[in-house]
């Protein structure tokens, strides 16, 4: 018997290709820049990273208009370097982790900060604060075999032209290879996985009408109007 419905696999544009990147899972790293860890009330010390997830269908394109999500009065932006995996494995060695990477993109890890604060206070999961519809902005992916593996690059975000976030990916507490290796000790990584690698300081509120723009030098840019 055939099912009366079908489910599409979310995909992301690949720069310079007619193919699209099929997305399996989205993993995110929390507090991976020292100043952001401080602004969120955490420690900037290099402790093991912690991870959370978003559903693959939370993805939204880099230039799309985004409807303000329900059930929040404090929506925040978080600009990030995104890692797209072309292979995976378990217990991947740090010196082999780069081999799993297909390419890189720019992301905005949208967060219902008020729901997150309530969840933290109650000792509850963050799912509704992080994994809501259209909560994972992503630019087209640039292949690593074309741009290499960026280790030092400006990362920035503006709201209505006003600078909000400014940093360098070299300031990540856990570099990309370390993130991939550590995450692979928790789950088996596979081709199609995306990893949002953390955000620098300066996260803040978005309201309806705001134009949020950002990027990572040499990787790409995003520009989304919130409606």
């Amino acid at each position: 018997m055939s099912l009366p419905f079908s489910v599409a696999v979310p995909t992301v544009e690949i720069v310079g290709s007619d193919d699209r990147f099929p997305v399996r899972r989205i993993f995110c790293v929390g507090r991976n820049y020292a100043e952001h860890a401080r602004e969120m009330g955490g420690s900037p010390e290099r402790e093991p990273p912690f991870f959370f997830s978003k559903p693959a269908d939370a993805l939204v394109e880099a230039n799309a208009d985004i409807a303000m999500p329900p059930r929040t009065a404090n929506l925040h932006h978080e600009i990030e370097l995104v890692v797209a995996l072309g292979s995976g494995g378990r217990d991947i060695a740090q010196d082999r982790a780069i081999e799993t990477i297909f390419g890189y993109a720019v992301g905005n890890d949208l967060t219902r900060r008020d729901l997150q604060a309530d969840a933290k206070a109650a000792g509850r999961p963050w799912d509704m604060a992080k994994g809501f519809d259209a909560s994972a902005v992503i630019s087209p992916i640039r292949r690593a075999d074309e741009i290499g593996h960026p280790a030092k690059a400006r990362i920035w975000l503006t709201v209505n032209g006003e600078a909000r976030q400014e940093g360098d990916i070299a300031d990540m507490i856990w570099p990309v290879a370390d993130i991939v290796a550590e995450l692979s000790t928790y789950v088996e990584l596979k081709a199609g996985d995306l990893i949002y690698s953390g955000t620098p300081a300066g996260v803040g509120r978005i309201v309806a009408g705001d134009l949020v723009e950002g990027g990572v030098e040499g990787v790409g840019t995003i520009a989304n109007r919130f409606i």
Side-chain angles (χ1 to χ4, degrees):
M1 182 183 73
S2 61
L3 294 174
F5 59 87
S6 61
V7 178
V9 174
T11 63
V12 179
E13 180 182 347
I14 300 170
V15 175
S17 174
D18 292 333
D19 293 326
R20 293 181 65 90
F21 184 88
V23 178
R24 175 178 173 264
R25 291 183 177 181
I26 301 175
F27 299 99
C28 305
V29 184
R31 299 181 186 175
N32 199 27
Y33 289 77
E35 289 305 314
H36 175 59
R38 292 188 182 98
E39 75 178 348
M40 297 305 294
S43 169
E45 300 300 322
R46 195 175 190 269
E47 299 175 348
F50 68 91
F51 302 95
F52 57 92
S53 298
K54 291 176 180 274
D57 64 2
L59 287 168
V60 61
E61 293 182 350
N63 295 296
D65 288 345
I66 299 176
M68 293 294 292
R71 303 294 293 268
T72 183
N74 195 16
L75 179 68
H76 274 209
H77 56 75
E78 297 188 11
I79 191 73
E80 312 204 3
L81 174 70
V82 181
V83 181
L85 299 188
S87 63
R90 296 182 186 273
D91 298 316
I92 300 168
Q94 187 272 345
D95 61 356
R96 301 295 300 274
I98 290 297
E99 299 172 11
T100 69
I101 297 173
F102 172 82
Y104 297 90
V106 178
N108 189 356
D109 166 19
L110 297 172
T111 304
R112 289 164 162 160
R113 193 70 74 197
D114 43 1
L115 270 64
Q116 185 187 41
D118 291 346
K120 287 180 180 179
R124 294 173 180 165
W126 294 3
D127 297 59
M128 293 300 101
K130 286 287 192 178
F132 52 95
D133 297 338
S135 63
V137 178
I138 190 166
S139 74
I141 295 168
R142 298 199 65 184
R143 296 173 62 105
D145 59 11
E146 295 178 354
I147 65 169
H149 297 281
K152 182 175 177 59
R154 175 178 176 246
I155 182 171
W156 58 276
L157 181 140
T158 64
V159 177
N160 302 322
E162 178 184 349
R164 288 276 189 92
Q165 293 185 264
E166 178 81 32
D168 196 291
I169 62 171
D171 297 331
M172 287 194 291
I173 297 170
W174 286 82
V176 167
D178 291 14
I179 292 169
V180 172
E182 181 72 10
L183 182 56
S184 75
T185 68
Y186 289 96
V187 295
E188 181 179 5
L189 298 175
K190 293 186 178 182
D193 289 341
L194 297 176
I195 304 173
Y196 282 59
S197 62
T199 194
V203 300
R205 189 181 179 200
I206 302 166
V207 298
D210 281 347
L211 174 63
V212 177
E213 300 173 280
V216 176
E217 183 181 17
V219 176
T221 60
I222 59 171
N224 301 100
R225 177 76 66 179
F226 286 77
I227 61 174

